[in-house]
């Protein structure tokens, strides 16, 4: 019996070290949901340019819809409208998610259907489990998401890399919808 226990214990490190660790993105297509203080799983949405979180119908724009994403081999996230969760019929599709890089004076997260402009980054999006992170040029993984409330309650501007305190809320973005089905105050 002792020999069997030693064999199992000695074989265990081989099984662990022999395993190949893979980066895994959520199954496509997937939505992204924001979690933070008072924000319990608000979906990411757009009307075609800026990124928001919250209830898209409150924006009062027929182009506003929650986004469903697919990943690319370049670590980009390409989004299209989730028409089953939208009240309108958006005309935008296949938009690439962008975040400002360190040279940009803006903090606004957005979308584009063309090459990102100066100061914007569209690649390096990776998942740690269900959490969305951004790979920096030095290889470090960052989660610098935050929300700034809009004039309409229930809508926040999705932003990146805050440098000040403008009533922003730190966030995590996950590919996991809230268990309650809708965003709620926590």
């Amino acid at each position: 019996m002792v020999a069997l226990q030693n064999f199992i214990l000695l074989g265990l490190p081989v099984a662990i070290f022999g395993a190949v660790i893979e980066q895994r993105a959520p199954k496509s297509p997937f939505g992204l949901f924001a979690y933070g203080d008072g924000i319990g799983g608000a979906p990411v949405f757009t009307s075609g340019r800026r990124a928001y979180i919250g209830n898209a119908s409150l924006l009062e724009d027929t182009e506003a819809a929650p986004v469903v994403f697919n990943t690319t081999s370049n670590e980009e996230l390409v989004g299209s409208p989730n028409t089953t969760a939208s009240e309108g019929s958006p005309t935008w599709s296949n938009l690439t998610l962008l975040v400002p890089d360190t040279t940009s004076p803006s903090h606004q997260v957005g979308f584009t259907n063309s090459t990102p402009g100066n100061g914007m980054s569209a690649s390096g999006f990776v998942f740690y489990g269900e959490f969305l992170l951004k790979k920096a040029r030095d290889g470090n993984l960052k989660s610098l998401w935050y929300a700034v409330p809009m004039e309409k309650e229930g809508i926040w501007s999705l932003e990146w890399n805050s440098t000040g305190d403008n009533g922003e809320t730190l966030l995590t973005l996950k590919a996991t919808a809230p268990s309650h089905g809708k965003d709620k105050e926590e």
Side-chain angles (χ1 to χ4, degrees), residues 135-165:
K135 190 185 314 179
R137 288 186 181 116
D138 62 8
N140 289 326
L141 298 178
K142 300 186 183 263
S143 179
L144 302 175
W145 308 106
Y146 70 97
V148 175
M150 302 291 290
E151 287 182 24
K152 278 215 185 242
E153 190 172 329
I155 302 175
W156 295 264
S157 174
L158 180 59
E159 304 203 5
W160 176 259
N161 195 17
S162 172
T163 57
D165 183 22

Side-chain angles (χ1 to χ4, degrees), residues 2 5-6 12 16 29 50 52 56 70 77 84-85 125 127 129 140 143 153 163-165 170-171 182:
V2 173
Q5 288 174 337
N6 287 339
L12 187 59
I16 292 171
R50 288 181 67 170
Y52 303 94
N70 288 292
L77 295 179
T84 61
F125 292 106
F127 283 88
N140 289 326
S143 179
E153 190 172 329
T163 57
D165 183 22
L170 294 176
L171 299 173
K182 294 178 94 177

Side-chain angles (χ1 to χ4, degrees), residues 51-70:
Y52 303 94
I53 61 168
N55 185 338
S57 66
L58 296 176
L59 196 59
E60 297 177 359
D61 183 338
T62 58
E63 291 290 317
V67 182
V68 290
F69 292 93
N70 288 292

